[in-house]
Amino acid sequence: MKLKINDDYVIRNSQFQYILSKQNGVDKNGTEIFKDVGYYQTIDKALQAFANYRIKTSEINSFEELASELNAIRELLVDIASKLEITIPSMEVSK
């Protein structure tokens, strides 16, 4: 399984976990290379981690930019959650 969240992130799975990965280029054959961001027991935990990771790695310089980024992430997660029929994780950013 490889679920595309957006152009940069995917959720993959193994027998035991869900893996949040970020695209890290392509190899000489044109195959995408991914860097694992984290490992989670459920898809909703992986989506919550995506939201937190995206905020923490963004170049945000004002509260307005933060609010805009949070709204964009929330809209994306609402769309994904409605397709999966899951509850949206809290949008709180952990420290």
Side-chain angles (χ1 to χ4, degrees):
M1 172 178 84
K2 185 169 90 172
L3 302 173
K4 186 174 183 175
I5 298 173
N6 64 14
D7 290 338
D8 297 321
Y9 294 90
V10 298
I11 295 175
R12 299 178 295 131
N13 73 314
S14 71
Q15 180 178 343
F16 303 105
Q17 62 200 349
Y18 295 95
I19 306 159
L20 176 63
S21 302
K22 183 176 184 195
Q23 185 177 7
N24 199 25
V26 294
D27 66 13
K28 63 182 178 181
N29 298 321
T31 304
E32 295 175 317
I33 300 170
F34 291 94
K35 177 182 177 188
D36 294 344
V37 173
Y39 306 89
Y40 307 93
Q41 292 181 349
T42 62
I43 289 177
D44 56 324
K45 294 288 186 190
L47 290 170
Q48 184 176 19
F50 160 75
N52 285 327
Y53 186 78
R54 186 160 156 190
I55 290 296
K56 290 177 181 178
T57 59
S58 294
E59 295 184 22
I60 295 173
N61 297 307
S62 70
F63 289 110
E64 291 81 13
E65 290 176 4
L66 176 60
S68 177
E69 186 70 14
L70 285 172
N71 285 332
I73 293 169
R74 185 175 291 116
E75 287 176 15
L76 176 63
L77 293 180
V78 165
D79 182 52
I80 291 169
S82 69
K83 291 174 185 172
L84 298 175
E85 298 180 3
I86 61 173
T87 304
I88 301 170
S90 169
M91 289 301 298
E92 296 176 351
V93 178
S94 62
K95 294 182 181 180

mmCIF file of all heavy atoms in Angstrom, residues 3 6 10 14-15 20 24 26 28 34 40 46-47 57 59 61 66-67 70 80-81 85 87-88 90 95:
data_model
loop_
_atom_site.group_PDB
_atom_site.id
_atom_site.type_symbol
_atom_site.label_atom_id
_atom_site.label_comp_id
_atom_site.label_asym_id
_atom_site.label_seq_id
_atom_site.Cartn_x
_atom_site.Cartn_y
_atom_site.Cartn_z
ATOM 1 N N LEU A 3 -0.291 5.283 0.048
ATOM 2 C CA LEU A 3 -1.334 6.305 -0.027
ATOM 3 C C LEU A 3 -0.685 7.671 -0.132
ATOM 4 O O LEU A 3 0.057 8.089 0.763
ATOM 5 C CB LEU A 3 -2.213 6.256 1.226
ATOM 6 C CG LEU A 3 -2.905 4.930 1.505
ATOM 7 C CD1 LEU A 3 -3.584 4.971 2.859
ATOM 8 C CD2 LEU A 3 -3.895 4.610 0.412
ATOM 9 N N ASN A 6 0.051 14.142 -0.344
ATOM 10 C CA ASN A 6 0.213 15.270 -1.261
ATOM 11 C C ASN A 6 1.410 14.959 -2.155
ATOM 12 O O ASN A 6 1.847 13.814 -2.213
ATOM 13 C CB ASN A 6 0.341 16.602 -0.511
ATOM 14 C CG ASN A 6 1.580 16.681 0.368
ATOM 15 O OD1 ASN A 6 2.504 15.870 0.265
ATOM 16 N ND2 ASN A 6 1.616 17.655 1.247
ATOM 17 N N VAL A 10 3.748 10.404 1.600
ATOM 18 C CA VAL A 10 2.922 9.208 1.426
ATOM 19 C C VAL A 10 2.862 8.444 2.746
ATOM 20 O O VAL A 10 3.715 8.620 3.621
ATOM 21 C CB VAL A 10 3.466 8.256 0.328
ATOM 22 C CG1 VAL A 10 3.472 8.926 -1.029
ATOM 23 C CG2 VAL A 10 4.825 7.720 0.687
ATOM 24 N N SER A 14 3.675 -1.727 6.446
ATOM 25 C CA SER A 14 4.309 -3.036 6.536
ATOM 26 C C SER A 14 3.288 -3.939 7.215
ATOM 27 O O SER A 14 2.166 -3.522 7.483
ATOM 28 C CB SER A 14 5.602 -2.960 7.359
ATOM 29 O OG SER A 14 5.303 -2.766 8.729
ATOM 30 N N GLN A 15 3.684 -5.106 7.540
ATOM 31 C CA GLN A 15 2.775 -6.040 8.204
ATOM 32 C C GLN A 15 2.338 -5.520 9.569
ATOM 33 O O GLN A 15 1.252 -5.846 10.040
ATOM 34 C CB GLN A 15 3.496 -7.376 8.356
ATOM 35 C CG GLN A 15 2.699 -8.457 9.029
ATOM 36 C CD GLN A 15 3.476 -9.763 9.085
ATOM 37 O OE1 GLN A 15 4.449 -9.952 8.377
ATOM 38 N NE2 GLN A 15 3.039 -10.658 9.946
ATOM 39 N N LEU A 20 5.033 6.955 7.649
ATOM 40 C CA LEU A 20 4.939 8.262 7.013
ATOM 41 C C LEU A 20 6.284 8.533 6.355
ATOM 42 O O LEU A 20 7.325 8.486 7.017
ATOM 43 C CB LEU A 20 4.615 9.340 8.045
ATOM 44 C CG LEU A 20 4.590 10.779 7.527
ATOM 45 C CD1 LEU A 20 3.494 10.966 6.481
ATOM 46 C CD2 LEU A 20 4.409 11.747 8.685
ATOM 47 N N ASN A 24 12.178 12.028 -1.438
ATOM 48 C CA ASN A 24 13.540 12.530 -1.298
ATOM 49 C C ASN A 24 14.275 12.429 -2.634
ATOM 50 O O ASN A 24 15.442 12.095 -2.678
ATOM 51 C CB ASN A 24 14.255 11.715 -0.210
ATOM 52 C CG ASN A 24 15.464 12.414 0.336
ATOM 53 O OD1 ASN A 24 15.557 13.619 0.291
ATOM 54 N ND2 ASN A 24 16.403 11.640 0.856
ATOM 55 N N VAL A 26 14.535 11.166 -6.912
ATOM 56 C CA VAL A 26 14.356 9.982 -7.742
ATOM 57 C C VAL A 26 15.716 9.376 -8.052
ATOM 58 O O VAL A 26 16.721 10.073 -8.091
ATOM 59 C CB VAL A 26 13.611 10.308 -9.057
ATOM 60 C CG1 VAL A 26 12.188 10.728 -8.802
ATOM 61 C CG2 VAL A 26 14.337 11.372 -9.852
ATOM 62 N N LYS A 28 18.306 6.880 -10.566
ATOM 63 C CA LYS A 28 18.677 6.965 -11.988
ATOM 64 C C LYS A 28 17.666 6.297 -12.907
ATOM 65 O O LYS A 28 17.624 6.588 -14.092
ATOM 66 C CB LYS A 28 20.066 6.373 -12.200
ATOM 67 C CG LYS A 28 20.167 4.902 -11.880
ATOM 68 C CD LYS A 28 21.580 4.407 -12.071
ATOM 69 C CE LYS A 28 21.641 2.920 -11.687
ATOM 70 N NZ LYS A 28 22.987 2.406 -11.834
ATOM 71 N N PHE A 34 12.091 7.593 -1.043
ATOM 72 C CA PHE A 34 11.407 8.153 0.115
ATOM 73 C C PHE A 34 12.271 8.046 1.359
ATOM 74 O O PHE A 34 13.004 7.075 1.537
ATOM 75 C CB PHE A 34 10.081 7.422 0.363
ATOM 76 C CG PHE A 34 9.060 7.696 -0.698
ATOM 77 C CD1 PHE A 34 8.914 6.851 -1.781
ATOM 78 C CD2 PHE A 34 8.252 8.813 -0.621
ATOM 79 C CE1 PHE A 34 7.984 7.103 -2.769
ATOM 80 C CE2 PHE A 34 7.310 9.077 -1.596
ATOM 81 C CZ PHE A 34 7.175 8.221 -2.676
ATOM 82 N N TYR A 40 3.912 4.357 12.750
ATOM 83 C CA TYR A 40 2.708 4.539 13.559
ATOM 84 C C TYR A 40 1.832 3.296 13.506
ATOM 85 O O TYR A 40 1.817 2.572 12.518
ATOM 86 C CB TYR A 40 1.936 5.768 13.046
ATOM 87 C CG TYR A 40 2.852 6.963 12.979
ATOM 88 C CD1 TYR A 40 3.521 7.275 11.811
ATOM 89 C CD2 TYR A 40 3.119 7.723 14.110
ATOM 90 C CE1 TYR A 40 4.413 8.330 11.754
ATOM 91 C CE2 TYR A 40 4.007 8.778 14.066
ATOM 92 C CZ TYR A 40 4.654 9.077 12.887
ATOM 93 O OH TYR A 40 5.550 10.107 12.847
ATOM 94 N N ALA A 46 -0.623 8.449 11.854
ATOM 95 C CA ALA A 46 0.304 8.862 10.800
ATOM 96 C C ALA A 46 -0.113 10.211 10.211
ATOM 97 O O ALA A 46 0.729 11.063 9.931
ATOM 98 C CB ALA A 46 0.376 7.799 9.710
ATOM 99 N N LEU A 47 -1.418 10.423 10.046
ATOM 100 C CA LEU A 47 -1.904 11.710 9.540
ATOM 101 C C LEU A 47 -1.651 12.834 10.538
ATOM 102 O O LEU A 47 -1.293 13.949 10.151
ATOM 103 C CB LEU A 47 -3.391 11.613 9.205
ATOM 104 C CG LEU A 47 -3.726 10.761 7.983
ATOM 105 C CD1 LEU A 47 -5.228 10.536 7.893
ATOM 106 C CD2 LEU A 47 -3.179 11.397 6.712
ATOM 107 N N THR A 57 8.462 21.765 10.025
ATOM 108 C CA THR A 57 9.479 21.920 8.981
ATOM 109 C C THR A 57 9.160 23.053 8.008
ATOM 110 O O THR A 57 9.920 23.276 7.068
ATOM 111 C CB THR A 57 9.657 20.604 8.193
ATOM 112 O OG1 THR A 57 8.413 20.229 7.608
ATOM 113 C CG2 THR A 57 10.173 19.496 9.099
ATOM 114 N N GLU A 59 8.671 27.017 6.809
ATOM 115 C CA GLU A 59 9.339 28.296 7.074
ATOM 116 C C GLU A 59 8.283 29.352 7.366
ATOM 117 O O GLU A 59 8.004 30.219 6.544
ATOM 118 C CB GLU A 59 10.213 28.676 5.890
ATOM 119 C CG GLU A 59 11.360 27.703 5.699
ATOM 120 C CD GLU A 59 12.294 28.124 4.573
ATOM 121 O OE1 GLU A 59 12.326 29.317 4.220
ATOM 122 O OE2 GLU A 59 12.974 27.237 4.050
ATOM 123 N N ASN A 61 6.877 32.543 9.471
ATOM 124 C CA ASN A 61 7.470 33.690 10.150
ATOM 125 C C ASN A 61 6.451 34.592 10.835
ATOM 126 O O ASN A 61 6.830 35.627 11.379
ATOM 127 C CB ASN A 61 8.284 34.517 9.145
ATOM 128 C CG ASN A 61 9.441 33.717 8.588
ATOM 129 O OD1 ASN A 61 10.237 33.170 9.329
ATOM 130 N ND2 ASN A 61 9.519 33.640 7.267
ATOM 131 N N LEU A 66 1.146 30.955 10.040
ATOM 132 C CA LEU A 66 0.838 29.735 10.785
ATOM 133 C C LEU A 66 -0.637 29.376 10.629
ATOM 134 O O LEU A 66 -0.980 28.227 10.357
ATOM 135 C CB LEU A 66 1.198 29.898 12.262
ATOM 136 C CG LEU A 66 0.836 28.725 13.178
ATOM 137 C CD1 LEU A 66 1.548 27.451 12.734
ATOM 138 C CD2 LEU A 66 1.182 29.064 14.619
ATOM 139 N N ALA A 67 -1.514 30.381 10.787
ATOM 140 C CA ALA A 67 -2.950 30.140 10.649
ATOM 141 C C ALA A 67 -3.281 29.643 9.244
ATOM 142 O O ALA A 67 -4.076 28.712 9.074
ATOM 143 C CB ALA A 67 -3.730 31.411 10.965
ATOM 144 N N LEU A 70 -2.049 26.001 8.936
ATOM 145 C CA LEU A 70 -2.930 25.107 9.690
ATOM 146 C C LEU A 70 -4.245 24.882 8.952
ATOM 147 O O LEU A 70 -4.753 23.761 8.907
ATOM 148 C CB LEU A 70 -3.198 25.663 11.087
ATOM 149 C CG LEU A 70 -2.051 25.539 12.090
ATOM 150 C CD1 LEU A 70 -2.379 26.307 13.361
ATOM 151 C CD2 LEU A 70 -1.759 24.083 12.399
ATOM 152 N N ILE A 80 -9.175 13.821 3.344
ATOM 153 C CA ILE A 80 -8.683 12.448 3.494
ATOM 154 C C ILE A 80 -9.546 11.674 4.484
ATOM 155 O O ILE A 80 -9.946 10.542 4.222
ATOM 156 C CB ILE A 80 -7.206 12.447 3.948
ATOM 157 C CG1 ILE A 80 -6.305 12.966 2.818
ATOM 158 C CG2 ILE A 80 -6.771 11.045 4.370
ATOM 159 C CD1 ILE A 80 -4.885 13.242 3.240
ATOM 160 N N ALA A 81 -9.855 12.280 5.623
ATOM 161 C CA ALA A 81 -10.629 11.605 6.665
ATOM 162 C C ALA A 81 -12.031 11.239 6.169
ATOM 163 O O ALA A 81 -12.551 10.178 6.505
ATOM 164 C CB ALA A 81 -10.713 12.478 7.911
ATOM 165 N N GLU A 85 -13.413 7.622 6.296
ATOM 166 C CA GLU A 85 -14.409 7.531 7.359
ATOM 167 C C GLU A 85 -13.746 7.345 8.718
ATOM 168 O O GLU A 85 -14.103 6.457 9.499
ATOM 169 C CB GLU A 85 -15.411 6.414 7.071
ATOM 170 C CG GLU A 85 -16.199 6.644 5.802
ATOM 171 C CD GLU A 85 -17.203 5.552 5.501
ATOM 172 O OE1 GLU A 85 -17.356 4.616 6.306
ATOM 173 O OE2 GLU A 85 -17.858 5.648 4.447
ATOM 174 N N THR A 87 -11.974 9.641 12.221
ATOM 175 C CA THR A 87 -12.008 10.897 12.948
ATOM 176 C C THR A 87 -10.708 11.647 12.694
ATOM 177 O O THR A 87 -9.631 11.061 12.712
ATOM 178 C CB THR A 87 -12.167 10.643 14.449
ATOM 179 O OG1 THR A 87 -13.345 9.865 14.650
ATOM 180 C CG2 THR A 87 -12.273 11.935 15.230
ATOM 181 N N ILE A 88 -10.823 12.949 12.484
ATOM 182 C CA ILE A 88 -9.646 13.774 12.255
ATOM 183 C C ILE A 88 -8.905 13.946 13.576
ATOM 184 O O ILE A 88 -9.506 14.309 14.577
ATOM 185 C CB ILE A 88 -10.030 15.152 11.712
ATOM 186 C CG1 ILE A 88 -10.800 15.009 10.408
ATOM 187 C CG2 ILE A 88 -8.799 16.033 11.534
ATOM 188 C CD1 ILE A 88 -11.420 16.274 9.928
ATOM 189 N N SER A 90 -6.553 15.678 16.409
ATOM 190 C CA SER A 90 -6.459 17.052 16.873
ATOM 191 C C SER A 90 -5.418 17.812 16.065
ATOM 192 O O SER A 90 -4.396 17.269 15.686
ATOM 193 C CB SER A 90 -6.072 17.061 18.361
ATOM 194 O OG SER A 90 -5.740 18.363 18.767
ATOM 195 N N LYS A 95 4.906 19.838 21.173
ATOM 196 C CA LYS A 95 6.213 20.505 21.358
ATOM 197 C C LYS A 95 7.322 19.494 21.280
ATOM 198 O O LYS A 95 7.189 18.362 21.515
ATOM 199 C CB LYS A 95 6.251 21.178 22.722
ATOM 200 C CG LYS A 95 5.255 22.312 22.817
ATOM 201 C CD LYS A 95 5.344 22.973 24.150
ATOM 202 C CE LYS A 95 4.327 24.102 24.234
ATOM 203 N NZ LYS A 95 4.367 24.783 25.490
#
